[in-house]
Amino acid sequence: MNRNDWWRGGVIYQVYPRSFFDSSGDGIGDLRGVLEKLDYIASLNVDAIWLSPFFTSPMRDFGYDVSDYRDVDPLFGTLDDFKLLVQTAHGRGIRILIDQVINHSSDQHPWFKESRSSRDNARADWYVWAEARDDGTPPNNWLSVFGGPAWTWDSRRRQYYLHNFLSSQPDLNFHCEAVQQQLLDDMEFWLQLGVDGFRLDAANFYFHDRQLRDNPPNHDIREGSIGVRADNPYAFQKHLYDKSQPENLQFLRRIRQLLERYPGSATVAEIGCDQSLKTMAAYTGGGDRLHMAYSFDLLTEQCSPAFLRHTIECVERELGDGWPCWSIGNHDVVRVMSRWALDGRPNLARGRMFMALLLSLRGSVCLYQGEELGLDEAELQYDQLVDPYGLRFWPEFKGRDGCRTPMPWHDGDAHGGFSRERPWLPLGAGHLPLSVAAQERDADSMLNTYRRFLEWRQRQPILIEGAMRVLHHDDTLLVFERRLGEEVWLCLFNLAEAARHFSLPVPVEALDVPSATASFEPAGVQVPAHGFGFARVRG
């Protein structure tokens, strides 16, 4: 807890509170539930927890629609529960980052209620309002990420308001100085309570084009591209004017200036756009903006060695003095065990290999709860869905519920020890045998593999601080180098179902790495199917 730069190479464990552990017996996870499981989180050897939103909210988007930025929703507990969680986590050497959903609020927030009441009230310009076109249609062609126009008519003001997400999530107007200051004050409220920083939701959406210019069509659209789905027209535009505006940089500097007053605090931003790597570089470079950011580049279906090499090399080339945070899963995407499975068949050996790959990249890492158990995507029926995104695009897109199902703590009941009552979402089929209790009884389980690898990683400065260079890729194999001073490592990963032999360009000695499966010989290495290995270059 002494290092102010702990975030460089740090591992952040994302807790989605609704699905982590229910301490109250109402079927919904809560802050006391996180508190009760702190020993478990500490056993993973992570540096920090990222808590998904627990603020007061009508829960139309499950907390990502905030109606009070300074209080805890009763579903999750109380402000005193949060204070105790921070204090107890710090006592175990774990930092706490909290989600800040400041691009938009709930339409139930008092600010929006006042803003929509008239055109001349004190908060009239706190949200993005615009006149209709002469024919009554929205002011421009901007689209919502959740489908349809990004504008909704309000009969009180007789104007349209902007919402990049649900219509119940109106965008705040960051061109208004009072909005910026209010949000910074709200962030400082949590810093004063002891939080160690923030995960910034939709960080490149804050500002919009003042002129409200139309986005041009995206003629480069193709299936398989980041964020592209044929059922959602959002990708049919190049989003030049509704997000990633140049004014954002100065506001990010103001956030950094705030955090500099609280040594050891850090930011990690979510960035989703067509030019995500360039945006990451702009947002994290110079030492006066964000500390780190992650993109959606590894949250897609693609995972070939060629794709991974391209992504890694783009980050290394584009980021400059910025800092990446890598993630292969979170609460918004299909679980990696399913998304990167071969032929739709999750494979635990493959999961271990991707774990080692992720934790060997240069940068920081976000792990999503359940990845350490090898959980796959839960298959839910339409009548089990609650996610508004999934309900809108079913059946072509099944939404985000499948990655948000409850954590299985033991296999003694149908609810997996998550709750005494029926959970808000059912457990995933096949998740009970992967419960924490079951895996703790197995020394070679995925859970214990994560624990050992993370503990070993903490003692390897070369993985925390070292430079990185990709040396080789082909249809099945990815090989990269980590270097720190005179120390040079080779890291090899086989993404295929067949063993691979690789001729080594230099003499090496095998490193004793937890769960590594490669066999090194004087002139080459044998890497089993879904296997990996690390070696030190000699001489």
Side-chain angles (χ1 to χ4, degrees):
M1 295 290 289
N2 311 344
R3 287 180 49 221
N4 287 341
D5 65 345
W6 64 270
W7 51 272
R8 285 190 172 270
V11 177
I12 302 166
Y13 182 74
Q14 183 192 354
V15 169
Y16 191 71
R18 292 182 71 91
S19 298
F20 197 62
F21 181 65
D22 171 23
S23 71
S24 64
D26 63 357
I28 297 174
D30 45 51
L31 294 179
R32 284 274 176 176
V34 181
L35 181 64
E36 288 188 30
K37 297 299 184 181
L38 274 181
D39 285 340
Y40 169 78
I41 297 173
S43 78
L44 298 176
N45 301 301
V46 297
D47 299 286
I49 296 170
W50 150 23
L51 283 174
S52 290
F54 52 81
F55 309 107
T56 308
S57 166
M59 299 295 164
R60 301 214 181 136
D61 193 22
F62 299 98
Y64 284 88
D65 49 330
V66 179
S67 57
D68 187 338
Y69 284 100
R70 297 196 184 194
D71 205 356
V72 174
D73 193 279
L75 277 175
F76 299 121
T78 66
L79 204 54
D80 285 338
D81 292 334
F82 178 78
K83 293 175 184 177
L84 181 59
L85 174 58
V86 172
Q87 178 185 359
T88 309
H90 286 174
R92 286 165 169 75
I94 301 172
R95 294 169 174 82
I96 298 288
L97 307 182
I98 63 173
D99 238 312
Q100 286 293 282
V101 192
I102 57 176
N103 170 71
H104 51 266
S105 75
S106 164
D107 62 359
Q108 299 304 303
H109 198 295
W111 301 342
F112 186 70
K113 290 181 177 181
E114 181 177 359
S115 186
R116 77 191 313 182
S117 66
S118 69
R119 298 192 183 193
D120 57 1
N121 63 79
R123 293 188 172 89
D125 62 347
W126 277 41
Y127 293 82
V128 184
W129 297 96
E131 301 292 342
R133 292 177 177 174
D134 290 343
D135 62 359
T137 56
N140 61 27
N141 71 345
W142 295 353
L143 295 173
S144 163
V145 174
F146 283 5
W151 299 93
T152 289
W153 177 256
D154 184 80
S155 59
R156 297 168 183 81
R157 285 187 51 143
R158 299 182 182 180
Q159 287 179 304
Y160 283 95
Y161 66 85
L162 177 67
H163 53 89
N164 273 293
F165 299 92
L166 295 174
S167 61
S168 58
Q169 295 169 305
D171 274 38
L172 285 153
N173 180 17
F174 279 76
H175 291 292
C176 173
E177 167 62 27
V179 167
Q180 291 189 39
Q181 189 57 56
Q182 179 65 59
L183 294 172
L184 291 168
D185 290 346
D186 289 342
M187 293 171 75
E188 186 159 25
F189 170 84
W190 295 101
L191 288 167
Q192 290 175 346
L193 291 185
V195 304
D196 301 284
F198 306 100
R199 180 265 188 181
L200 299 174
D201 181 70
N204 58 309
F205 281 80
Y206 297 159
F207 282 84
H208 65 284
D209 175 50
R210 283 183 182 271
Q211 300 177 49
L212 302 182
R213 286 172 283 187
D214 281 350
N215 284 327
N218 181 10
H219 296 300
D220 300 325
I221 184 173
R222 63 189 185 277
E223 284 296 330
S225 298
I226 295 170
V228 173
R229 296 202 326 274
D231 54 293
N232 188 346
Y234 186 77
F236 295 176
Q237 294 182 355
K238 290 186 177 180
H239 294 275
L240 300 186
Y241 300 116
D242 52 352
K243 61 183 179 181
S244 303
Q245 299 303 293
E247 297 95 327
N248 217 28
L249 290 175
Q250 185 54 39
F251 180 67
L252 299 182
R253 290 188 180 97
R254 294 187 68 182
I255 292 177
R256 182 62 173 258
Q257 290 166 6
L258 169 63
L259 267 67
E260 291 295 319
R261 303 207 302 268
Y262 295 84
S265 59
T267 49
V268 55
E270 173 196 47
I271 294 174
C273 63
D274 298 335
Q275 301 292 323
S276 59
L277 297 180
K278 290 183 179 179
T279 306
M280 283 173 62
Y283 285 15
T284 64
D288 64 344
R289 282 152 269 178
L290 302 179
H291 296 79
M292 51 189 167
Y294 73 87
S295 73
F296 290 84
D297 292 82
L298 294 186
L299 299 176
T300 67
E301 304 289 331
Q302 302 177 72
C303 65
S304 69
F307 172 77
L308 293 171
R309 177 173 192 162
H310 173 75
T311 302
I312 292 167
E313 290 184 336
C314 284
V315 167
E316 291 296 306
R317 181 177 63 251
E318 299 283 354
L319 223 52
D321 64 348
W323 191 256
C325 185
W326 297 96
S327 174
I328 58 175
N330 65 22
H331 63 292
D332 283 335
V333 297
V334 173
R335 283 195 175 272
V336 69
M337 287 294 292
S338 296
R339 198 174 73 249
W340 285 0
L342 290 178
D343 301 322
R345 294 176 288 109
N347 180 295
L348 292 180
R350 189 172 176 83
R352 292 185 182 93
M353 182 267 297
F354 282 126
M355 169 209 71
L357 171 62
L358 174 67
L359 292 167
S360 302
L361 298 174
R362 187 184 76 89
S364 305
V365 173
C366 283
L367 300 176
Y368 178 48
Q369 67 181 46
E371 284 178 16
E372 76 278 14
L373 302 179
L375 299 185
D376 59 355
E377 183 79 354
E379 291 291 333
L380 303 180
Q381 301 303 310
Y382 181 79
D383 61 1
Q384 296 173 313
L385 300 185
V386 294
D387 176 21
Y389 201 14
L391 290 168
R392 180 176 179 89
F393 290 112
W394 177 276
E396 288 77 15
F397 176 63
K398 298 182 179 179
R400 302 166 295 178
D401 291 322
C403 66
R404 299 178 176 183
T405 55
M407 279 278 287
W409 292 100
H410 62 68
D411 52 3
D413 61 63
H415 304 326
F418 165 75
S419 176
R420 299 186 298 273
E421 300 297 328
R422 181 180 178 180
W424 72 287
L425 281 176
L427 263 71
H431 285 187
L432 284 180
L434 298 174
S435 71
V436 171
Q439 295 203 38
E440 286 184 329
R441 297 191 294 264
D442 178 2
D444 296 320
S445 68
M446 179 75 86
L447 172 59
N448 285 318
T449 298
Y450 262 84
R451 286 169 168 164
R452 287 191 296 268
F453 196 94
L454 283 162
E455 191 276 333
W456 171 81
R457 181 184 182 275
Q458 289 178 332
R459 295 182 279 108
Q460 311 305 327
I462 194 169
L463 294 182
I464 308 299
E465 306 168 31
M468 182 176 179
R469 179 167 65 104
V470 180
L471 300 178
H472 171 84
H473 87 276
D474 54 37
D475 288 346
T476 62
L477 197 66
L478 179 70
V479 182
F480 57 76
E481 169 191 281
R482 298 300 307 269
R483 180 185 294 267
L484 184 62
E486 299 300 314
E487 182 91 348
V488 180
W489 287 10
L490 295 184
C491 312
L492 303 96
F493 305 89
N494 181 8
L495 281 72
E497 291 189 289
R500 277 294 310 275
H501 185 271
F502 181 67
S503 296
L504 294 169
V506 292
V508 302
E509 57 181 333
L511 289 165
D512 184 15
V513 179
S515 300
T517 52
S519 301
F520 289 88
E521 305 156 359
V525 56
Q526 188 77 6
V527 190
H530 313 300
F532 66 93
F534 293 74
R536 178 183 291 110
V537 175
R538 295 201 323 237

